[in-house]
Amino acid sequence: MSQPQTARQATPRHYLMCRPTYFDVNYAINPWMDPDKPVDTDLAIEQWDNLRRLYLEHGHTVDLVEPLEGLPDMVFAANGATVVDDKVLIARFRHRERAAEAPAYHRWYTSHGYAEVASAEYVNEAEGDYIVVGRTVLAGTGFRTDPRAHAEAEKVLGVPVVSLTLVDPRFYHLDVALAALSDTEVMYYPGAFSEESLAVLRELYPDAILVGDEDAEAFGLNAVSDGRHVYLPETATGLAEQLRAHGFEPVGIDLSELLKAGGSVKCTTQEIRHRATA
Ligand code: ARG
């Protein structure tokens, strides 16, 4: 994909975020979490606020869901719901530690005028495992989201869902292994996927940006793209160069505190996609 680029266009996005007021690491549900390591909640808030302000400066809308005490992972708003064309599919969490986040997102959507808000029958960790690429949802399974949830998502959201199997526990959610860059382009870390899923990805996205070990381990794939800017952890410097070569503008973000819970930029950002109004 080394075509000369016409300038990439950013389009204004609508994000839902949750301030890390009660952020902490006091349980371990992924290999990055170590409850014995100290966490600086004030610093987490400052770093998170910096990302929120950047989104606003770039013309995006950021709505906030109220953080709840006792839910230290609620800052990872991507896990709360998946929204396509105003159809909202609420998460159902794999671990009881996070279960109470789902009703909070349900309340947020129903109280903000969304008419089609569905509770899930099967475990699905929303945009942690569901990545919307144009009119397709790429859906992860293997660690969190139940494979049966994929058909449920297809039915509720009304768009085709492509199942992908994750095999490396460090990349326990799809959104730490793959990111959408535009409606047709993705980047991913091949080592995170089963052979069958890799074959599917190669077929669908022959020109995808393939990301190396170091950038993947730095959570470089936990990125958000507005079509031009790609917000990603600032330590993923090799990936930033790759993105630049493809005409994107990488925006390095420091979320080092949230990384202690195994999350970064994309995890904190849920995208609300509205039906196009003609
Ligand atoms: N500690 C959280 C968990 O393990 C981190 C979630 C990160 N979110 C994401 N979308 N990958 O559930």
Side-chain angles (χ1 to χ4, degrees):
M1 199 166 58
S2 55
Q3 77 272 28
Q5 298 295 341
T6 47
R8 300 268 184 186
Q9 295 294 327
T11 52
R13 307 292 171 125
H14 184 181
Y15 298 132
L16 181 60
M17 298 178 76
C18 181
R19 188 178 297 277
T21 311
Y22 304 107
F23 177 66
D24 200 354
V25 177
N26 49 28
Y27 52 78
I29 56 173
N30 71 54
W32 306 91
M33 299 175 88
D34 177 359
D36 294 330
K37 241 201 200 150
V39 166
D40 183 340
T41 305
D42 289 339
L43 180 57
I45 294 172
E46 201 183 303
Q47 293 176 334
W48 172 91
D49 209 46
N50 188 41
L51 174 62
R52 187 189 62 91
R53 273 188 290 110
L54 262 172
Y55 285 151
L56 294 173
E57 279 166 27
H58 285 159
H60 305 305
T61 301
V62 178
D63 274 325
L64 298 176
V65 58
E66 195 59 39
L68 297 175
E69 201 169 352
L71 295 174
D73 272 333
M74 195 168 165
V75 58
F76 301 116
N79 297 125
T82 309
V83 185
V84 175
D85 296 340
D86 294 344
K87 294 194 189 86
V88 184
L89 175 58
I90 301 295
R92 178 181 289 271
F93 286 86
R94 168 135 330 254
H95 300 97
R96 67 180 153 68
E97 290 90 339
R98 298 195 66 185
E101 294 178 39
Y105 283 96
H106 198 288
R107 279 192 300 277
W108 192 90
Y109 278 101
T110 46
S111 65
H112 283 77
Y114 289 79
E116 298 176 65
V117 184
S119 301
E121 183 178 352
Y122 296 109
V123 167
N124 86 81
E125 297 207 347
E127 289 200 325
D129 275 322
Y130 292 155
I131 298 191
V132 182
V133 191
R135 301 299 298 170
T136 302
V137 174
L138 301 181
T141 186
F143 297 101
R144 297 289 180 89
T145 295
D146 188 314
R148 292 170 294 180
H150 294 177
E152 182 179 25
E154 192 164 78
K155 207 162 125 204
V156 171
L157 299 173
V159 287
V161 170
V162 175
S163 290
L164 299 169
T165 302
L166 298 165
V167 295
D168 181 336
R170 294 174 305 159
F171 304 100
Y172 59 93
H173 272 143
L174 185 59
D175 76 351
V176 293
L178 182 149
L181 293 168
S182 70
D183 284 350
T184 54
E185 295 158 289
V186 303
M187 55 180 180
Y188 64 90
Y189 174 58
F193 296 92
S194 70
E195 273 310 317
E196 295 74 23
S197 297
L198 269 184
V200 171
L201 285 172
R202 286 193 198 106
E203 167 92 26
L204 286 176
Y205 307 103
D207 297 328
I209 297 181
L210 301 183
V211 176
D213 296 347
E214 238 176 278
D215 288 320
E217 270 168 31
F219 270 65
L221 285 156
N222 200 236
V224 169
S225 172
D226 65 18
R228 174 185 178 88
H229 310 101
V230 180
Y231 309 87
L232 80 170
E234 63 181 6
T235 49
T237 50
L239 177 53
E241 278 315 307
Q242 284 176 285
L243 287 165
R244 221 171 257 125
H246 285 78
F248 292 99
E249 199 179 306
V251 182
I253 309 287
D254 180 10
L255 288 177
S256 59
E257 285 308 298
L258 297 183
L259 207 56
K260 294 175 180 171
S264 190
V265 179
K266 171 60 208 170
C267 299
T268 62
T269 312
Q270 189 190 125
E271 184 164 351
I272 300 177
R273 297 171 194 81
H274 298 276
R275 193 171 277 127
T277 40

